[in-house]
Amino acid sequence: MGNFLKDNEDLQFYLNQWLDWDKILEVVEPAGFGPNKGYASKEEALETFSDILEMLGGFAADEIAPKSLILDQEGVTFENGTATLGPTMNQIFDQMKELEVHGLLIPRELGGMGCPMVVYNLAAEIIARADVCTMTHFGFHGGIAMVLLMYSMHEGSTSVDTETMEITETRFRDAISEIIAGDAWGSMDITEPDAGSDMAAMRSVGEQDENGDWLVTGNKIFITSGHGKYHVVIARTEPVGAPDDPFAGLKGLSLFLVPLFEDEEDGTRTWHGQIDRIEEKMGHHACATCSITYDRSPGLLLGERGDGFKLMLMLMNNARISVACESLGICEAAYRLARDYAAERPSMGKTIDRHEMIADMLEEMETDICGIRALTYACAEHEEISRRMKILRAAQERAGAPTDAEAVRVERRHSRKSRRYTPMAKYLASEKACEMARRAIQILGGVGYIKEYGAEKLLRDALVFPIYEGTSQIQALMVMKDTLTRILKRPADLVSRRAQTRWTAMSARDPLERGVARIQGLALAAQQRLLMRTAARKFKGMRAIPITQWKDAMDGWDPKRDFAPAMLHAERLTRLLADEAICELLWKQAEKHPERRPILERYLERAEPRCRFLLDEISNSGDRLINQLRDLEGESDQEVA
Ligand SMILES: Cc1cc2nc3c(=O)[nH]c(=O)nc-3n(C[C@H](O)[C@H](O)[C@H](O)COP(=O)(O)OP(=O)(O)OC[C@H]3O[C@@H](n4cnc5c(N)ncnc54)[C@H](O)[C@@H]3O)c2cc1C
């Protein structure tokens, strides 16, 4: 009997020692503990979470992982407009139904278990290690029920008892009950043939009939688990705004809940939309990835009309954290497969894990996993606390309670951290899942390339992570824009932080603290150089202006044209800033738990030369390509020196 929680010491560290359960439980169980409460005590709550994860760890190891190659082979079938998962996947979901895990996140008063989102994130990593498709399809059960609940809370169609903080009524109670029971699931329908990363180009429309009811028309593609009933669809309801506004296209979008079908009492099914096909993909074979056409399909408006993009952003962070957790699952599977094989395979007088190059690869994989996990669960914790605090505050304010300024301050602090870490975690975890799966194949040699050992499946499955829920490049643009905007708002901070990190790098007593300060110094230098290069392209005299006065000098800049160097180097900057964030987080762990020091030691050893290299590239490469792109756009940059 295996167990994907119990065999993973690093993961258990987060569950048992690191996550700030006091703070998490404060927002997840706002009514507190006691005889008439959800849990008698905090300890009982933690024991319950631990038991659930242990149960899922055993289920993943014994019931899912051994079937992952069969799931891949069986795939999904499509006949007469209906997509059907393979028999083994259906059997796994029958078992999950019996385990009643679809209600993991759903509040207890609606029939769920009411666990924190962080417990779901840990479960996501555990299940994805066994098989990514199982995790993905699982996510479109409880995940969609939570999406409906969140939107309903946001629009005010869920009422809460402010004494107990329990939900008394909610607009989507029936759909949520169906999903918890394992009888339905849903999907997020965003992508269209001409609108992927560029959501402003979306063509699907929502319009009202003479009775004011909404009808949705359009084609959505690549929809995971799109053969389910409850589709959250984004469509245009308002005309595109002013053509010179880069965000004009995003403002006229609205969100709808569109049931793809209704099952009638006589056993027939009425379709409100049509599944055109399921995609033939290189990986994720056990997931139904559907192309769907809606033609005046009845939908329910979620929130206000025109708020679609804003509502989607509300849940984006969670979706991206989930992808980071699934990526960690693949990293862990790839690392263990490679490690165990290398320990057995003899070559030239010793097992291959004793050959320097293979040992180096394996150690780097293990170290990276620890780093990515620190970053991912930091996102998960901050996102959970800030999101729940916001919901609680909204409910209390609706009930007439005055705004608690201190609570707002704490909520914003967590929200800022979640916003800072999430795109980095999504970026790094998904890119590393591909890299580690590729390495596993290399370490397994010939058998890595054939199907039997499962290494090639890991790579095929991993390759979608840097594409969906916002591509790696889109994550990098977010990191770059947030970072540079922050500096431009308070340029003096950059100067003082550089001085401070220089001092710490020289004077701190602990060599690990000095190492972290060196990485911070490299990250700050990269930000400053990127701004200098960006500015130098715009104005001859900019270099002469002190950085603290740049804010005024930069008035009237066009981000699309003037930020070319920053856009070019956004991925490099993201890698460097992710290394910085990871080192800071591992340092916090090492300060409290000295047994974690070797992890930071190993991470720093690899991160420092990597960050120097990235800084060099950011500082010195790219001008030729930027000029070439400008020429292609027919621009002449008269102002460049
Ligand atoms: C298996 C699978 C499952 C999916 N599931 C879903 C789902 O459930 N629901 C859903 O709505 N969608 C889903 N998608 C779609 C996915 O979210 C999109 O494919 C993704 O957003 C990218 O859009 P695109 O394919 O149109 O690529 P494009 O947007 O055309 O991008 C192509 C390339 O250009 C880059 N690029 C684009 N714009 C910029 C820029 N400004 N700067 C730098 N680089 C840029 C991108 O990073 C990418 O490398 C799924 C896709 C796959 C493959």
Side-chain angles (χ1 to χ4, degrees), residues 585-596:
L585 290 164
L586 291 177
W587 167 239
K588 270 196 203 159
Q589 293 181 5
E591 273 185 301
K592 266 197 174 173
H593 300 274
E595 71 278 11
R596 304 281 292 175

PDB file of all heavy atoms in Angstrom, residues 585-596:
ATOM      1  N   LEU A 585      11.717  32.903   0.862  1.00  0.00           N
ATOM      2  CA  LEU A 585      10.799  31.999   1.576  1.00  0.00           C
ATOM      3  C   LEU A 585      11.566  30.872   2.263  1.00  0.00           C
ATOM      4  O   LEU A 585      11.279  30.511   3.413  1.00  0.00           O
ATOM      5  CB  LEU A 585       9.767  31.421   0.592  1.00  0.00           C
ATOM      6  CG  LEU A 585       8.740  32.440   0.065  1.00  0.00           C
ATOM      7  CD1 LEU A 585       8.022  31.906  -1.178  1.00  0.00           C
ATOM      8  CD2 LEU A 585       7.715  32.776   1.147  1.00  0.00           C
ATOM      9  N   LEU A 586      12.565  30.320   1.567  1.00  0.00           N
ATOM     10  CA  LEU A 586      13.349  29.231   2.177  1.00  0.00           C
ATOM     11  C   LEU A 586      14.157  29.740   3.373  1.00  0.00           C
ATOM     12  O   LEU A 586      14.408  29.017   4.333  1.00  0.00           O
ATOM     13  CB  LEU A 586      14.261  28.572   1.134  1.00  0.00           C
ATOM     14  CG  LEU A 586      13.570  27.745   0.034  1.00  0.00           C
ATOM     15  CD1 LEU A 586      14.604  27.208  -0.966  1.00  0.00           C
ATOM     16  CD2 LEU A 586      12.766  26.565   0.618  1.00  0.00           C
ATOM     17  N   TRP A 587      14.561  31.018   3.286  1.00  0.00           N
ATOM     18  CA  TRP A 587      15.299  31.609   4.411  1.00  0.00           C
ATOM     19  C   TRP A 587      14.401  31.709   5.643  1.00  0.00           C
ATOM     20  O   TRP A 587      14.801  31.388   6.766  1.00  0.00           O
ATOM     21  CB  TRP A 587      15.868  32.973   3.995  1.00  0.00           C
ATOM     22  CG  TRP A 587      16.374  33.819   5.130  1.00  0.00           C
ATOM     23  CD1 TRP A 587      15.948  35.061   5.467  1.00  0.00           C
ATOM     24  CD2 TRP A 587      17.409  33.500   6.070  1.00  0.00           C
ATOM     25  NE1 TRP A 587      16.619  35.530   6.561  1.00  0.00           N
ATOM     26  CE2 TRP A 587      17.532  34.595   6.961  1.00  0.00           C
ATOM     27  CE3 TRP A 587      18.226  32.394   6.261  1.00  0.00           C
ATOM     28  CZ2 TRP A 587      18.438  34.605   8.014  1.00  0.00           C
ATOM     29  CZ3 TRP A 587      19.138  32.413   7.327  1.00  0.00           C
ATOM     30  CH2 TRP A 587      19.239  33.504   8.183  1.00  0.00           C
ATOM     31  N   LYS A 588      13.135  32.138   5.422  1.00  0.00           N
ATOM     32  CA  LYS A 588      12.183  32.202   6.545  1.00  0.00           C
ATOM     33  C   LYS A 588      12.026  30.826   7.175  1.00  0.00           C
ATOM     34  O   LYS A 588      11.967  30.684   8.397  1.00  0.00           O
ATOM     35  CB  LYS A 588      10.810  32.653   6.035  1.00  0.00           C
ATOM     36  CG  LYS A 588      10.611  34.129   6.056  1.00  0.00           C
ATOM     37  CD  LYS A 588       9.123  34.407   5.927  1.00  0.00           C
ATOM     38  CE  LYS A 588       8.892  35.796   5.387  1.00  0.00           C
ATOM     39  NZ  LYS A 588       7.587  35.952   4.802  1.00  0.00           N
ATOM     40  N   GLN A 589      11.945  29.798   6.318  1.00  0.00           N
ATOM     41  CA  GLN A 589      11.808  28.426   6.838  1.00  0.00           C
ATOM     42  C   GLN A 589      13.047  28.034   7.633  1.00  0.00           C
ATOM     43  O   GLN A 589      12.949  27.465   8.728  1.00  0.00           O
ATOM     44  CB  GLN A 589      11.600  27.431   5.685  1.00  0.00           C
ATOM     45  CG  GLN A 589      10.280  27.622   4.960  1.00  0.00           C
ATOM     46  CD  GLN A 589      10.068  26.625   3.830  1.00  0.00           C
ATOM     47  OE1 GLN A 589      10.872  25.714   3.630  1.00  0.00           O
ATOM     48  NE2 GLN A 589       8.990  26.795   3.089  1.00  0.00           N
ATOM     49  N   ALA A 590      14.223  28.350   7.082  1.00  0.00           N
ATOM     50  CA  ALA A 590      15.480  27.946   7.725  1.00  0.00           C
ATOM     51  C   ALA A 590      15.643  28.632   9.078  1.00  0.00           C
ATOM     52  O   ALA A 590      16.193  28.051  10.025  1.00  0.00           O
ATOM     53  CB  ALA A 590      16.662  28.283   6.812  1.00  0.00           C
ATOM     54  N   GLU A 591      15.160  29.896   9.152  1.00  0.00           N
ATOM     55  CA  GLU A 591      15.274  30.615  10.433  1.00  0.00           C
ATOM     56  C   GLU A 591      14.496  29.909  11.546  1.00  0.00           C
ATOM     57  O   GLU A 591      14.951  29.837  12.683  1.00  0.00           O
ATOM     58  CB  GLU A 591      14.697  32.031  10.268  1.00  0.00           C
ATOM     59  CG  GLU A 591      15.710  33.036   9.770  1.00  0.00           C
ATOM     60  CD  GLU A 591      15.115  34.439   9.747  1.00  0.00           C
ATOM     61  OE1 GLU A 591      14.092  34.643   9.055  1.00  0.00           O
ATOM     62  OE2 GLU A 591      15.666  35.312  10.430  1.00  0.00           O
ATOM     63  N   LYS A 592      13.313  29.387  11.183  1.00  0.00           N
ATOM     64  CA  LYS A 592      12.464  28.746  12.199  1.00  0.00           C
ATOM     65  C   LYS A 592      12.776  27.269  12.370  1.00  0.00           C
ATOM     66  O   LYS A 592      12.572  26.698  13.433  1.00  0.00           O
ATOM     67  CB  LYS A 592      11.003  28.857  11.767  1.00  0.00           C
ATOM     68  CG  LYS A 592      10.282  30.039  12.323  1.00  0.00           C
ATOM     69  CD  LYS A 592       8.792  29.802  12.168  1.00  0.00           C
ATOM     70  CE  LYS A 592       7.973  30.865  12.834  1.00  0.00           C
ATOM     71  NZ  LYS A 592       6.563  30.718  12.540  1.00  0.00           N
ATOM     72  N   HIS A 593      13.199  26.626  11.297  1.00  0.00           N
ATOM     73  CA  HIS A 593      13.428  25.170  11.314  1.00  0.00           C
ATOM     74  C   HIS A 593      14.832  24.898  10.756  1.00  0.00           C
ATOM     75  O   HIS A 593      14.991  24.719   9.547  1.00  0.00           O
ATOM     76  CB  HIS A 593      12.382  24.460  10.429  1.00  0.00           C
ATOM     77  CG  HIS A 593      10.981  24.689  10.874  1.00  0.00           C
ATOM     78  ND1 HIS A 593      10.373  23.916  11.835  1.00  0.00           N
ATOM     79  CD2 HIS A 593      10.067  25.624  10.504  1.00  0.00           C
ATOM     80  CE1 HIS A 593       9.140  24.354  12.034  1.00  0.00           C
ATOM     81  NE2 HIS A 593       8.933  25.389  11.240  1.00  0.00           N
ATOM     82  N   PRO A 594      15.838  24.885  11.630  1.00  0.00           N
ATOM     83  CA  PRO A 594      17.228  24.742  11.162  1.00  0.00           C
ATOM     84  C   PRO A 594      17.447  23.507  10.283  1.00  0.00           C
ATOM     85  O   PRO A 594      18.342  23.501   9.439  1.00  0.00           O
ATOM     86  CB  PRO A 594      18.024  24.636  12.457  1.00  0.00           C
ATOM     87  CG  PRO A 594      17.149  25.222  13.509  1.00  0.00           C
ATOM     88  CD  PRO A 594      15.742  25.044  13.069  1.00  0.00           C
ATOM     89  N   GLU A 595      16.594  22.471  10.442  1.00  0.00           N
ATOM     90  CA  GLU A 595      16.775  21.272   9.603  1.00  0.00           C
ATOM     91  C   GLU A 595      16.482  21.560   8.136  1.00  0.00           C
ATOM     92  O   GLU A 595      16.809  20.761   7.264  1.00  0.00           O
ATOM     93  CB  GLU A 595      15.908  20.109  10.128  1.00  0.00           C
ATOM     94  CG  GLU A 595      14.414  20.233   9.930  1.00  0.00           C
ATOM     95  CD  GLU A 595      13.706  21.103  10.995  1.00  0.00           C
ATOM     96  OE1 GLU A 595      14.409  21.784  11.765  1.00  0.00           O
ATOM     97  OE2 GLU A 595      12.469  21.120  11.023  1.00  0.00           O
ATOM     98  N   ARG A 596      15.905  22.752   7.834  1.00  0.00           N
ATOM     99  CA  ARG A 596      15.635  23.124   6.437  1.00  0.00           C
ATOM    100  C   ARG A 596      16.822  23.880   5.821  1.00  0.00           C
ATOM    101  O   ARG A 596      16.791  24.205   4.631  1.00  0.00           O
ATOM    102  CB  ARG A 596      14.393  24.025   6.336  1.00  0.00           C
ATOM    103  CG  ARG A 596      13.119  23.492   6.914  1.00  0.00           C
ATOM    104  CD  ARG A 596      12.405  22.502   6.029  1.00  0.00           C
ATOM    105  NE  ARG A 596      11.846  23.053   4.811  1.00  0.00           N
ATOM    106  CZ  ARG A 596      11.268  22.310   3.865  1.00  0.00           C
ATOM    107  NH1 ARG A 596      11.183  20.994   4.002  1.00  0.00           N
ATOM    108  NH2 ARG A 596      10.792  22.856   2.779  1.00  0.00           N
TER     109      ARG A 596
END
